[in-house]
Amino acid sequence: MSSSHAIIVLSVCCLISNVISFAPQLLTHHVPSVAINGIISPTTHSQTALSMAGFGGGASAKKQKKKGGAKVAKLKAKSQWDRYGDLKGCQKITVGVRMTKGDDDDSSNEWMEVGRVRSADDEYTEVAIAKQRALIAEHSKRLYILQIPANAVLDWGYLDVEGEWVVVDKSKGDDDTALDIDAKKFGFEGISDKASGAYCHYAGGKIADQPDTFHSCIDER
């Protein structure tokens, strides 16, 4: 080989070496083997040094836990109906809903009666409504299918001794005082809905008008 050829070869080698030194380093992490169709094959996860430095994203973002403490257990319609019956010596309070109106909403938002609540020693009427608001709202949409859309925003309330509706803020069921009140201290009974069988009383396999008994239509069918 002539000296000129040797010089050209050495120059090319040096150029290749410099290019390689500036290329991102490929880091390969081996993870446990995975069996696919009975054949065990090793899997790898490749990641460049640039992506690990924050260009292109490396590690996935961690999910944040919800703040505000433990979730409140969801109340069940049958359990709260039974508790309403257990509190038979307490006052019956008529409860209802109305659709919330916006400033530019000229539609009707009349109150619609949904059922009744009772609370221990008649002390927790507003808490009983606020904490059972999901049950009340759910039943209102059974009773008033045409009047209340599925996505309607509702107000909850009750009739006072003067026959006037009183709005109950849902926060009454979420504050520290309400969280300490056991669900056994209040209950809800909805107006009987023969179409769905909800809150219906049965005698001899047929729906009967027995407002002071508390048998689940599911149990009696």
Side-chain angles (χ1 to χ4, degrees), residues 148-185:
I148 305 178
N151 61 347
V153 179
L154 301 175
D155 290 327
W156 292 262
Y158 66 96
L159 280 174
D160 63 14
V161 294
E162 297 179 355
E164 298 292 331
W165 284 99
V166 178
V167 178
V168 175
D169 193 314
K170 63 183 181 181
S171 65
K172 294 285 186 179
D174 301 326
D175 60 25
D176 292 339
T177 302
L179 293 175
D180 292 334
I181 300 174
D182 194 287
K184 294 179 180 179
K185 292 187 176 182

Side-chain angles (χ1 to χ4, degrees), residues 87-99:
L87 295 166
K88 61 182 64 177
C90 300
Q91 186 179 3
K92 303 172 185 177
I93 305 295
T94 298
V95 298
V97 300
R98 70 179 180 184
M99 287 187 287

Side-chain angles (χ1 to χ4, degrees), residues 31 55 99 136 152 163 171 182-183 206:
V31 295
F55 299 93
M99 287 187 287
I136 297 171
S171 65
D182 194 287
K206 297 181 179 180

Side-chain angles (χ1 to χ4, degrees), residues 15-220:
L15 179 61
I16 293 173
S17 177
N18 290 335
V19 171
I20 293 175
S21 66
F22 282 101
Q25 183 181 359
L26 184 65
L27 304 180
T28 303
H29 304 282
H30 291 275
V31 295
S33 300
V34 177
I36 303 175
N37 296 328
I39 301 174
I40 299 177
S41 61
T43 60
T44 60
H45 175 69
S46 298
Q47 190 174 44
T48 66
L50 289 178
S51 69
M52 291 183 66
F55 299 93
S60 59
K62 294 182 179 179
K63 294 182 179 179
Q64 294 182 349
K65 294 182 179 179
K66 291 183 178 180
K67 296 181 180 180
K71 292 182 179 179
V72 178
K74 183 179 179 181
L75 299 178
K76 297 181 179 180
K78 176 61 170 63
S79 297
Q80 294 310 115
W81 192 18
D82 288 341
R83 287 163 182 169
Y84 178 92
D86 294 339
L87 295 166
K88 61 182 64 177
C90 300
Q91 186 179 3
K92 303 172 185 177
I93 305 295
T94 298
V95 298
V97 300
R98 70 179 180 184
M99 287 187 287
T100 303
K101 289 183 65 173
D103 295 336
D104 57 349
D105 186 359
D106 57 357
S107 62
S108 173
N109 69 332
E110 295 181 357
W111 285 98
M112 292 168 274
E113 185 178 337
V114 179
R116 298 173 294 185
V117 297
R118 283 173 171 158
S119 64
D121 301 321
D122 303 323
E123 291 184 0
Y124 310 111
T125 296
E126 293 195 346
V127 172
I129 295 170
K131 295 190 77 166
Q132 297 178 116
R133 63 185 183 272
L135 300 179
I136 297 171
E138 180 183 32
H139 192 52
S140 73
K141 293 173 183 178
R142 292 193 195 101
L143 297 174
Y144 305 100
I145 297 175
L146 299 180
Q147 295 93 326
I148 305 178
N151 61 347
V153 179
L154 301 175
D155 290 327
W156 292 262
Y158 66 96
L159 280 174
D160 63 14
V161 294
E162 297 179 355
E164 298 292 331
W165 284 99
V166 178
V167 178
V168 175
D169 193 314
K170 63 183 181 181
S171 65
K172 294 285 186 179
D174 301 326
D175 60 25
D176 292 339
T177 302
L179 293 175
D180 292 334
I181 300 174
D182 194 287
K184 294 179 180 179
K185 292 187 176 182
F186 52 81
F188 167 69
E189 177 185 61
I191 295 173
S192 297
D193 178 40
K194 294 182 180 180
S196 65
Y199 297 101
C200 291
H201 309 285
Y202 284 77
K206 297 181 179 180
I207 295 176
D209 184 15
Q210 297 179 355
D212 292 322
T213 60
F214 303 94
H215 300 292
S216 167
C217 50
I218 295 176
D219 293 341
E220 296 295 323

